[in-house]
Amino acid sequence: MAGDSVQEPAGPVSFEALGARAAALAAAPYRPQGDDLPPQLASLSYDGYRAIAFRAGESLRLNDLFSAQLFHRGFLQRKRVDLFVQPRQGPPRPVPYETRLFDLGPGLAGARFPASLGFAGFRLHYAFDRSRPDAQEEFLVFLGASYFRLRGAGQEYGLSARGAAIGTGLPAPEEFPDFVAHWICEPEDGARAITVLSLLDSPSLAGAYRFVVEPGAPSRMRIDAALHPRRPIERLGLAPLTSMFVHGQNGPGARGAEGFDDFRPQVHDSDGLVVETPGDRLWRPLVNGRRAPQVSAFRAEPLKGFGLLQRERSFSAYLDVQARHEARPGLWVEPGGREAGGEAGPFAAGEVQLFEIPSREEYMDNIVAAFVPRGPVAPGRPLALAYGLTTIGAEPAPGMPGALARVVSTRVGSAERLRPTNPPSPARRLYVVDFEGPGLAGASGITADVSASAGTMVDPVTEPVPQTGGWRLYVEWRPPAEMPPGDVILRAHLVGAGARISETWDAVA
């Protein structure tokens, strides 16, 4: 099975049949996918690989609104992925590799490769404007390991999702499972959704996935998975999200971090993590600049949802005409899917873990968030997952709960505004947190509940912000005489009429 081309049964493929195939894979020794490439492809540079383009006229037409294009192997995309089209009736059809499908660019002009080369992945296109079915735009990419990217109408690609994460943040090297085969199911004409079935394999895990995707504003994905461990897994990340954060509102972020000599005020694909549980919703601004990678854990029993979001939506915050960071989507994970309203299953007990890697390179994804279930993950204990994935733009956003006001900015500076010292005293730091959302516009008597895991929060003051309809919190943090190892966590939420009215701001000092 894995390690060779996937063999197809005589009839249509189904998620249930794929689950049985994954169980059989997990019961057998792992056989890695081959990554042998012709020398011309193995030695490609980044620019040489980028020059390879699929010919749009060769797109696989799936119905009147959907089509697919394919990715060539080469450079870092070494592993072969088997691709099939599942017709509305009958057995699946393999998608054969042919060199003519691609413009190979000047470096490979005239080259020819065998049909056994196969593909690295694929992307789906959709007519967001249904009145113009030929004006299709790319909205979903499966490329590399178990990574995939999803965007909504008017958005740019940003963060990635993954099928599974194994060992993220542990001392041993992380394991990256691969999607070894995909079956793209042809939808009926006029259908707004498309289904992709995928087979995952790795030394520790095999699994079957069903992605039911409805592109739009927002784009939504319903994911079902049947996971079969081959061996015990110390840390399994479910519904993992991977993003980039270099610098943002709080400058380089961590204490003592070196600043960035950059004309752009902010550089990131996501600026915070949201975790929702039955009693609270938490916002953790992302941080860069630590001396070593950091894992933070947020207990969620049961988890109601989590996501990496891009809350800063103004061009002036980034000033990057090409990257358009303000148009990058967030992704919101909801166990069971909102329309399903089902049980949490493996999401019932555990924690959302946030892994932040120090980075000064914007082309490196240095942020990972995933739900890590409590309890053993071992052979003979399969996991059945069901969750929804929704692209998030400006908030309040469809598909994401909105009963609480949200944190929209965190700014940090010296608290010595009237009589500043030079350099500013590190013993007095002012945090300014802005909130927007339900119950704030025109409200009065709003206060803040604040706390710190070390040091003291001094003189919290709240006031309305007429320009936005929100409220602002000013609070000074005074560090302890001796700083503890690791992060100091500062927390705050707004209170109105004796009740919590905002999510919890949970920041690293």
Side-chain angles (χ1 to χ4, degrees), residues 39-377:
Q40 306 104 300
L41 297 175
S43 62
L44 276 177
S45 66
Y46 171 82
D47 290 333
Y49 183 71
R50 292 269 296 176
I52 301 176
F54 186 84
R55 299 184 190 276
E58 302 293 341
S59 297
L60 307 179
R61 303 294 295 191
L62 301 170
N63 75 345
D64 57 332
L65 301 174
F66 289 95
S67 62
Q69 297 186 6
L70 313 172
F71 287 103
H72 208 280
R73 294 174 65 195
F75 185 49
L76 299 179
Q77 305 302 333
R78 301 180 62 90
K79 294 184 179 179
R80 171 182 170 138
V81 178
D82 291 309
L83 298 180
F84 303 86
V85 172
Q86 173 60 62
R88 294 159 203 165
Q89 296 181 349
R93 302 189 304 266
V95 181
Y97 171 84
E98 297 179 74
T99 304
R100 67 173 183 82
L101 299 175
F102 296 88
D103 177 349
L104 297 178
L108 293 173
R112 292 290 181 269
F113 300 106
S116 60
L117 182 69
F119 303 100
F122 71 97
R123 58 192 178 199
L124 292 180
H125 293 235
Y126 175 70
F128 286 101
D129 182 352
R130 294 169 62 88
S131 68
R132 302 171 60 213
D134 290 332
Q136 297 187 4
E137 301 176 33
E138 180 183 335
F139 73 93
L140 177 62
V141 170
F142 283 86
L143 181 65
S146 67
Y147 286 88
F148 57 96
R149 283 184 169 183
L150 179 68
R151 74 172 188 91
Q155 295 178 332
E156 297 285 333
Y157 281 130
L159 77 168
S160 300
R162 282 195 267 171
I166 298 177
T168 305
L170 292 177
E174 183 174 353
E175 180 179 317
F176 292 89
D178 294 307
F179 282 131
V180 297
H182 299 282
W183 292 259
I184 307 169
C185 301
E186 290 183 343
E188 298 289 339
D189 280 345
R192 296 176 179 268
I194 188 169
T195 297
V196 176
L197 302 175
S198 303
L199 182 65
L200 178 139
D201 200 18
S202 80
S204 298
L205 186 73
Y209 286 75
R210 176 171 56 203
F211 304 92
V212 181
V213 195
E214 184 175 348
S219 290
R220 301 176 186 271
M221 181 180 280
R222 163 75 184 193
I223 302 173
D224 297 285
L227 304 183
H228 297 271
R230 263 196 182 88
R231 61 192 187 191
I233 300 175
E234 180 179 352
R235 183 179 294 172
L236 174 62
L238 304 180
L241 307 175
T242 301
S243 193
M244 175 273 291
F245 180 88
V246 177
H247 61 99
Q249 293 171 346
N250 58 349
R255 293 190 308 273
E258 182 182 353
F260 293 89
D261 189 10
D262 196 324
F263 78 93
R264 298 165 298 177
Q266 302 185 42
V267 178
H268 49 75
D269 287 342
S270 306
D271 54 11
L273 169 73
V274 174
V275 180
E276 182 167 8
T277 61
D280 193 11
R281 189 175 77 213
L282 174 146
W283 168 259
R284 164 62 70 88
L286 298 179
V287 166
N288 192 10
R290 295 184 180 91
R291 295 183 179 180
Q294 171 80 12
V295 177
S296 303
F298 308 90
R299 184 175 177 180
E301 299 187 358
L303 175 72
K304 292 182 68 69
F306 78 95
L308 288 173
L309 303 186
Q310 184 80 315
R311 281 191 166 166
E312 180 54 77
R313 289 281 157 189
S314 64
F315 169 73
S316 60
Y318 304 100
L319 300 178
D320 195 322
V321 175
Q322 297 176 339
R324 296 188 64 212
H325 293 291
E326 71 277 5
R328 305 287 173 106
L331 286 177
W332 180 251
V333 175
E334 185 174 21
R338 184 169 297 277
E339 57 282 332
E343 298 179 358
F347 296 98
E351 58 191 28
V352 174
Q353 293 191 359
L354 174 66
F355 185 46
E356 296 168 296
I357 304 170
S359 173
R360 302 188 67 82
E361 177 55 74
E362 65 186 279
Y363 299 106
M364 172 185 170
D365 283 341
N366 62 323
I367 303 294
V368 180
F371 182 81
V372 177
R374 184 164 52 85
V377 178

